[in-house]
Amino acid sequence: MIERMSIGSGPLGFSAVIPLFRVERYLPDLLGSLTRQRPGDYTLEVIFIDDGSPDRSGDLAQEWLDGTGAAGRVIRQPNAGVSVARNVGIDAATADWVTFPDSDDFLSIDYFRRAAHFLRRHGEGVSVASTRLVRLSELENRIRDVHALKFRFAAGSRRVSMVDFPDFFQLNVASVFFRRGDLLARGTRFRTGLHASEDALFVAEFLLHESAPMLGLVADARYVYRRRAAGDSAIDRFRDNPDTYIGRFRDGYLQLMEQAASIGAVPQWLQAMFLYECQWLLPAQLTDDGYASVLDAAARGETLAALAACAAHVDEDRLFRYDATALPLESRLLLNRLAGRPVPSWVGAYRRGTVLHLPVADPASVQLRGSGDQLIEADATVVTPDYFGQQILHRWSADSPGSVRVAADGRGRAVIETVRGESLAQQQDRHRRRVFSQLRRAVPAREGEVRVWKPVPGPFGSPWRRMGWDAQLLRHRLGRLVRRWLRR
């Protein structure tokens, strides 16, 4: 149990650490949102780290500080990367709580007031406090609440145990408040040398110091993440960097998982964070836009090895119960195989029309038998999906009209019939949900969509917020029924 000093009667102090590099075009929006912050029970210092920016970003920040009289300073340094800049900012911060806004984003006008109100009430009982991240698409010129983890805020502001609800996790640091005393006591620093998932690894390393971390959710403080139309942000370029596929797993997640395993067990919330990362990595390999063409054969092998080492630390039950996003069944089965485990016996033979589809480890093991137990010869098609050149999971399909019994990988497979209008991925996800008693709790994502619509999980929260979310869930369910009816 971590003991923390109670917050005094004075206003809460916030330190906003903001690295600057080639953001002259975007920085005025952030500075404007800082100028417009509503007063409240807080003080704010803004520490800008000019990370050798070749444009006027640092000068704009200094002019803003001089013109507004805001507390803070500009620290200038040769370019060393965002992680080094943030670490410099941690050392320079003086306030109770530290946050790390990105310089091309901006904040709602009551951002710090709402955060202060929440932390005044719950600060001693949370490990970190996360605000609501919404997205500004420059191409559409509109702000939308579309983050894949938006369900966490559906019940309003609250505290959620990450042990009891492992799908409640945090990956970015821009919309999070950390207690400065904890940062210093734990020596948590941003990792240098990585170019993907630095934020998530920082959060995970910070929280591993606690046996029962508590996530604070500040639903009314909105952090506006900018999706640049120019496509020149770090997140837009991450697929072109081999570190996206190798380093963040081999040198990041794996090290943390091994550290946790050495003193007990890998927390399920850390396992869920890894699976969330796989959501954006594995399904994309089957698309032209997302395929990792930057990797050669050796690097693809390294990627599989890194994923396998991490997957070995993911419990099979957590792998298939993970419900934060719509991770396809095939991706889960690949991770299970990489972990050295067989295709589970509950996985079915999925019939669509007269064609059976089976995910299998050994295509040659598939047997079809009709009435009277006679063996049916099937003209099968076998496809090995190209997840970094893997050869341990295959798709077997064959025309098989009528009633059949199916066996594969030495086990019987139940035949799962399709529902009109659903894709194969949706059919498989519906079956998985039924096996793990999640079917009535959620609407699986549409093809190409990551979010899962479900009743609000987690404790407490505003009943009115829950009712609002449930109304949206009902609308999604009815919409799906209508679409199925129209396809008849």
Side-chain angles (χ1 to χ4, degrees):
M1 181 69 179
I2 294 179
E3 295 184 2
R4 298 190 173 102
M5 296 180 61
S6 61
I7 299 172
S9 58
L12 262 67
F14 293 130
S15 293
V17 174
I18 306 174
L20 306 174
F21 186 76
R22 289 182 176 169
V23 288
E24 182 179 355
R25 174 182 174 184
Y26 307 104
L27 186 57
D29 286 343
L30 174 61
L31 297 177
S33 72
L34 291 173
T35 301
R36 292 188 294 272
Q37 288 297 304
R38 291 174 175 167
D41 186 23
Y42 69 90
T43 61
L44 175 64
E45 69 169 0
V46 187
I47 300 172
F48 299 97
I49 314 297
D50 182 353
D51 188 35
S53 184
D55 60 12
R56 295 191 67 252
S57 297
D59 294 338
L60 289 179
Q62 188 62 62
E63 291 167 5
W64 179 81
L65 287 171
D66 294 340
T68 61
R73 57 180 168 139
V74 177
I75 300 174
R76 301 181 187 262
Q77 64 179 33
N79 179 250
V82 64
S83 291
V84 172
R86 284 171 169 169
N87 290 337
V88 170
I90 291 174
D91 293 333
T94 63
D96 306 311
W97 295 86
V98 180
T99 187
F100 303 91
D102 284 331
S103 49
D104 55 351
D105 299 333
F106 56 94
L107 316 170
S108 61
I109 61 175
D110 54 359
Y111 188 78
F112 290 104
R113 183 168 68 90
R114 296 284 189 181
H117 177 74
F118 178 88
L119 291 172
R120 177 65 69 187
R121 297 176 60 194
H122 304 296
E124 295 178 39
V126 299
S127 306
V128 296
S130 174
T131 60
R132 190 183 197 116
L133 191 149
V134 297
R135 187 176 72 187
L136 167 66
S137 172
E138 287 191 329
L139 288 174
E140 300 176 356
N141 194 29
R142 60 182 295 199
I143 295 174
R144 301 174 62 197
D145 188 6
V146 294
H147 194 276
L149 301 179
K150 62 178 288 185
F151 69 87
R152 299 175 302 163
F153 298 93
S157 298
R158 54 180 172 158
R159 294 176 295 164
V160 179
S161 166
M162 296 173 65
V163 173
D164 295 336
F165 301 94
D167 282 341
F168 281 74
F169 48 80
Q170 182 68 33
L171 292 103
N172 80 79
V173 300
S175 60
V176 177
F177 290 87
F178 298 87
R179 192 177 286 99
R180 185 175 65 92
D182 289 347
L183 287 174
L184 298 178
R186 300 171 187 183
T188 310
R189 289 293 185 267
F190 288 92
R191 296 187 178 214
T192 59
L194 289 180
H195 302 283
S197 299
E198 306 100 318
D199 285 22
L201 295 169
F202 178 87
V203 176
E205 187 170 357
F206 178 82
L207 294 176
L208 279 176
H209 287 266
E210 302 186 33
S211 59
M214 187 74 68
L215 178 64
L217 298 167
V218 192
D220 295 325
R222 298 203 311 166
Y223 180 97
V224 185
Y225 157 73
R226 183 193 303 270
R227 185 66 181 270
R228 297 184 190 178
D232 58 353
S233 67
I235 198 169
D236 291 313
R237 301 189 305 270
F238 84 109
R239 291 197 190 279
D240 297 329
N241 192 325
D243 208 35
T244 296
Y245 309 95
I246 304 171
R248 64 166 156 172
F249 298 114
R250 182 192 61 201
D251 304 324
Y253 278 98
L254 180 58
Q255 289 185 9
L256 292 181
M257 288 174 157
E258 289 177 340
Q259 173 188 333
S262 68
I263 58 176
V266 179
Q268 291 201 0
W269 57 262
L270 179 55
Q271 299 177 35
M273 287 176 65
F274 165 72
L275 295 175
Y276 180 89
E277 301 272 23
C278 291
Q279 167 73 64
W280 303 103
L281 186 74
L282 293 177
Q285 299 314 303
L286 306 184
T287 68
D288 292 337
D289 293 338
Y291 182 77
S293 57
V294 69
L295 301 180
D296 60 19
R300 294 164 74 76
E302 289 184 69
T303 300
L304 284 177
L307 288 172
C310 291
H313 290 287
V314 178
D315 302 333
E316 184 169 334
D317 187 70
R318 172 95 309 255
L319 173 60
F320 291 105
R321 286 188 182 277
Y322 168 82
D323 201 33
T325 54
L327 184 64
L329 177 62
E330 186 171 86
S331 297
R332 300 174 196 249
L333 291 175
L334 174 60
L335 292 169
N336 207 49
R337 294 287 294 125
L338 288 171
R341 298 186 289 254
V343 174
S345 59
W346 58 263
V347 174
Y350 301 93
R351 191 199 300 275
R352 302 183 61 76
T354 62
V355 179
L356 285 175
H357 300 268
L358 284 78
V360 296
D362 179 9
S365 71
V366 179
Q367 292 185 344
L368 305 183
R369 295 185 180 274
S371 58
D373 203 38
Q374 77 274 19
L375 190 64
I376 300 174
E377 295 293 334
D379 185 13
T381 299
V382 177
V383 175
T384 303
D386 187 5
Y387 298 104
F388 308 105
Q390 66 86 25
Q391 296 292 319
I392 57 176
L393 182 69
H394 312 273
R395 300 174 189 161
W396 183 100
S397 59
D399 190 70
S400 178
S403 176
V404 294
R405 289 187 296 110
V406 183
D409 298 326
R411 300 177 178 180
R413 295 282 188 93
V415 176
I416 309 300
E417 304 292 343
T418 189
V419 173
R420 182 184 294 271
E422 68 182 358
S423 67
L424 175 60
Q426 291 168 343
Q427 180 184 7
Q428 292 175 335
D429 193 51
R430 173 173 55 83
H431 177 228
R432 178 192 65 82
R433 289 180 176 282
R434 185 172 67 192
V435 170
F436 289 93
S437 303
Q438 294 175 322
L439 185 62
R440 296 184 179 181
R441 294 177 45 237
V443 174
R446 294 190 294 268
E447 194 75 15
E449 187 178 67
V450 175
R451 287 172 295 166
V452 180
W453 284 90
K454 54 195 170 186
V456 180
F460 314 118
S462 163
W464 304 111
R465 296 288 190 111
R466 287 179 177 269
M467 289 173 61
W469 178 268
D470 288 344
Q472 294 185 62
L473 174 61
L474 178 61
R475 185 186 68 189
H476 278 257
R477 285 175 172 163
L478 291 175
R480 180 151 300 183
L481 289 174
V482 169
R483 287 190 293 273
R484 286 175 181 170
W485 182 81
L486 291 175
R487 291 191 184 104
R488 292 179 180 177

